Every structure is written in C-alpha cells, then in structure tokens.
Amino acid sequence: MFKVCKDGCTHIGFELWQVKTGTLFDDIIVTDSLEEAQAFAKETYEKKKDGEKEMYDKIQEEKRAEEEANMPDDMDMGDMDMDDMDMDDMDGMYDEF
C-alpha cells in the first residue's frame, strides 16, 4: 500500500461478499502492525464472540425445532425399515455408480 500511496492514502475501499443475507461486518481495522491488530481483536472480537455464538446457536435451534414441528408426519422416516420399501422402485438406482 505504501508503494501505491506515496503521500499517504485518505480513502480505502472494501469489496465484501456475503454467503448469506444478514451477514454483518463490524470492527474493521486497517493496520500494518500485528500488535495493534491483536490488541484491537482483544478489545472487540474476543469480547463479543462467545455471546454471538450463543445467539447464533439459539436461533439455529429454534429454526430446527420449527422445521421439525412443521414437518408432515409422513415425512418422518425414522421408524422405517427395509421391509417397508418397494424394491421395484429402486430399479436403476445404482446405475450411476
């Protein structure tokens, strides 16, 4: 960056890609100092990570429970055994392998 901004940069841009809607980016630091970055992480990320993980896990558990509650009874295959399956419908199932 010093080669590009010989007189110092006044602006910087980020191109951030998110995999899922709702991803938030915060506590961004631009530095060339490892020590400064580690201190910044300790004051920001490390203080929030456990609480954010708990919140995420709780939301995921609620979603899973809601999906399970809304699943039709005939979709539950947990008690199904091989005797219940129509093997004639399986013809050609392994042709790709």
Side-chain angles (χ1 to χ4, degrees), residues 2 6 8 10 26 30 39 42 53 55 62 77 81 85 96-97:
F2 289 111
K6 293 176 185 162
T10 59
D26 62 355
V30 178
K42 192 174 283 189
K53 173 86 169 95
M55 188 174 11
E62 289 170 357
M77 297 176 66
D81 62 21
M85 297 182 77
E96 294 180 28
F97 305 103

Side-chain angles (χ1 to χ4, degrees), residues 20-73:
K20 293 183 177 184
T21 301
T23 302
L24 301 175
F25 297 92
D26 62 355
D27 302 326
I28 296 173
I29 183 174
V30 178
T31 183
D32 61 352
S33 167
L34 177 61
E35 294 80 18
E36 184 180 8
Q38 289 172 333
F40 184 80
K42 192 174 283 189
E43 289 297 314
T44 57
Y45 168 74
E46 291 180 16
K47 285 185 177 181
K48 295 187 280 185
K49 69 178 181 170
D50 292 334
E52 289 179 353
K53 173 86 169 95
E54 288 174 15
M55 188 174 11
Y56 174 81
D57 290 344
K58 180 182 176 193
I59 290 169
Q60 292 303 105
E61 179 60 29
E62 289 170 357
K63 284 181 182 179
R64 187 199 60 75
E66 182 179 338
E67 288 173 0
E68 192 174 284
N70 292 333
M71 184 185 302
D73 290 337

Side-chain angles (χ1 to χ4, degrees), residues 75-93:
M75 294 280 296
D76 184 14
M77 297 176 66
D79 58 350
M80 190 172 187
D81 62 21
M82 291 300 286
D83 294 333
D84 295 332
M85 297 182 77
D86 182 0
M87 297 310 281
D88 292 332
D89 286 343
M90 305 292 273
D91 185 40
M93 178 177 162

